Amino acid sequence: MRELALHILDILQNAVEAGATRVALVIVEDVPTDRLVITVRDNGRGMDAQTLAQVTQPFFTSRTTRHVGLGLPLFAAAAERADGQLTIRSQPGVGTTVDVTFTLSHPDRQPLGDMTGTLLAFLLSERTPQLDYQHRVVREGASSVEETDFSFDTADISAALAGLPLTHPAVAQWLAEFLAEGEAELTHVA
Amino acid sequence: MPKLKTLEDLKRVRDEAQQALKTRLDTGTTITVGMGTCGIAAGARETMHAVLDELAKRQIDAHVTTVGCIGQCVKEPLVDIEQAGQPRITYANVRPDMVSRLIDEHLIKGQPVAEWIVGKM
Ligand SMILES: Nc1ncnc2c1ncn2[C@@H]1O[C@H](COP(=O)(O)OP(=O)(O)O)[C@@H](O)[C@H]1O
Ligand SMILES: [Mg+2]
């Protein structure tokens, strides 16, 4: 996949498929430490130790419709190419946390890409878990570090909608604009 | 606080939508885009963008939704169109540049694009 936002969408889909009702996505672009960290935490069914051990190996999958699992190994490979790594912690019945790190300035790091599209594709899923999203950019200012961030919790959005679905055309359009605006406010590094 | 402002906006969107729903109950169209690993890798997210843009441009009220893997990787991006009282039709390998014709023929003219169909339910 050509951008990290596509890998993120894929990991978010894993959480949906694991039956998560809550997902937290945190992206931190930290210039002073030259790190990019992406964390996806869900409260889905989780994995036992045996599954966890196999899951970053290519072609492992628990699905029965298709016998190839690629999402996690592809993301891990993207991280390793940029001097980073992918780590998964998981507990059956509790949930799963996927942490992916990169060297921000690494020439082989893929761009973050279209986060608006990724968030929109996720929020329009048939079963959308509650999403707590935070995207922070930390950079060196004139005298101290400066931080900008875009964050939202879909609980606030759902409350404002009072039962109207996210997929309603007028709502989807509002969402697309809201996400594009929020992401544009960040002075991106990645 | 720009965020509060936009949530206020959203409430206005909600009120207008609920008003509209009272006068026109038969929006009844759902377009589903497959968003599993293979779909994502094949450009499904861009196809979804194209569908949303085309619907907005032509002012067609339809719900757009995404689903995970449905096990037909080589046919991704898969797009399903479901209209009230019509069979559900699945299109294969729908790239963004195909979306305009799809919406025009299927939704506006009511003639599904036969050569792109892979399934009917
Ligand atoms: N968030 C998660 N919660 C529970 N299980 C997961 C999660 N992410 C991945 N898995 C397990 O790891 C397997 C491999 O995941 P992945 O590499 O994305 O391939 P795929 O989703 O195509 O199976 C999944 O089939 C599932 O069993
Ligand atoms: Mg997956």
Side-chain angles (χ1 to χ4, degrees):
Chain A
M1 296 198 209
R2 61 196 184 282
E3 53 176 65
L4 299 177
L6 290 173
H7 288 287
I8 294 172
L9 177 54
D10 193 39
I11 298 306
L12 291 170
Q13 293 291 4
N14 280 348
V16 176
E17 281 156 26
T21 55
R22 298 182 56 116
V23 175
L25 167 60
V26 182
I27 301 171
V28 183
E29 305 172 37
D30 192 324
V31 177
T33 62
D34 199 24
R35 297 307 276 172
L36 167 64
V37 181
I38 297 166
T39 306
V40 182
R41 195 172 63 241
D42 72 61
N43 69 346
R45 75 177 71 88
M47 290 172 258
D48 58 27
Q50 198 201 340
T51 306
L52 195 56
Q54 290 172 290
V55 91
T56 49
Q57 291 168 14
F59 311 125
F60 173 79
T61 181
S62 67
R63 63 172 80 248
T64 50
T65 47
R66 154 170 71 77
H67 298 279
V68 180
L70 276 177
L72 288 164
L74 283 176
F75 205 2
E80 283 156 22
R81 276 199 301 277
D83 191 27
Q85 59 181 10
L86 179 145
T87 24
I88 312 177
R89 282 164 292 153
S90 190
Q91 227 181 308
V94 178
T96 302
T97 302
V98 179
D99 260 300
V100 199
T101 62
F102 303 81
T103 294
L104 194 57
S105 65
H106 199 288
D108 295 329
R109 181 183 58 76
Q110 290 173 304
L112 186 57
D114 179 18
M115 275 311 297
T116 297
T118 281
L119 291 166
L120 196 58
F122 175 72
L123 295 177
L124 298 181
S125 351
E126 276 189 328
R127 295 170 285 135
T128 314
Q130 182 190 331
L131 175 69
D132 188 351
Y133 177 68
Q134 190 180 41
H135 187 169
R136 282 205 320 270
V137 179
V138 186
R139 42 172 70 219
E140 320 260 17
S143 57
S144 59
V145 291
E146 285 168 6
E147 212 176 293
T148 47
D149 93 305
F150 171 48
S151 54
F152 62 85
D153 189 327
T154 54
D156 298 332
I157 292 172
S158 302
L161 284 173
L164 195 66
L166 295 175
T167 54
H168 184 284
V171 177
Q173 200 175 343
W174 178 88
L175 275 175
E177 284 163 19
F178 169 74
L179 296 170
E181 221 176 83
E183 286 294 315
E185 270 170 31
L186 297 172
T187 38
H188 278 287
V189 188
Chain B
M1 275 276 284
K3 194 186 164 194
L4 269 176
K5 167 100 173 53
T6 45
L7 275 182
E8 283 313 306
D9 253 25
L10 182 59
K11 287 178 187 159
R12 191 180 41 73
V13 166
R14 174 199 67 197
D15 290 342
E16 284 171 11
Q18 281 166 344
Q19 283 303 317
L21 223 59
K22 276 182 208 135
T23 52
R24 192 199 56 247
L25 288 164
D26 59 329
T27 36
T29 301
T30 301
I31 302 181
T32 307
V33 184
M35 207 61 72
T37 303
C38 303
I40 295 167
R45 195 189 57 183
E46 284 63 36
T47 298
M48 174 204 73
H49 262 310
V51 169
L52 287 167
D53 288 349
E54 195 68 27
L55 292 172
K57 203 168 80 190
R58 296 177 183 255
Q59 299 188 306
I60 299 172
D61 270 346
H63 287 241
V64 175
T65 187
T66 60
V67 280
C69 175
I70 36 184
Q72 299 199 69
C73 304
V74 296
K75 295 177 183 162
E76 299 280 4
L78 284 161
V79 173
D80 246 42
I81 301 185
E82 207 173 354
Q83 285 177 291
Q86 306 280 331
R88 175 178 175 139
I89 294 185
T90 304
Y91 292 100
N93 305 117
V94 181
R95 294 183 315 269
D97 62 356
M98 295 158 72
V99 167
S100 174
R101 179 177 162 198
L102 194 63
I103 301 291
D104 184 56
E105 294 187 16
H106 190 134
L107 289 187
I108 295 182
K109 303 200 175 97
Q111 290 164 349
V113 185
E115 72 252 45
W116 296 343
I117 296 177
V118 282
K120 266 187 213 187
M121 271 190 351

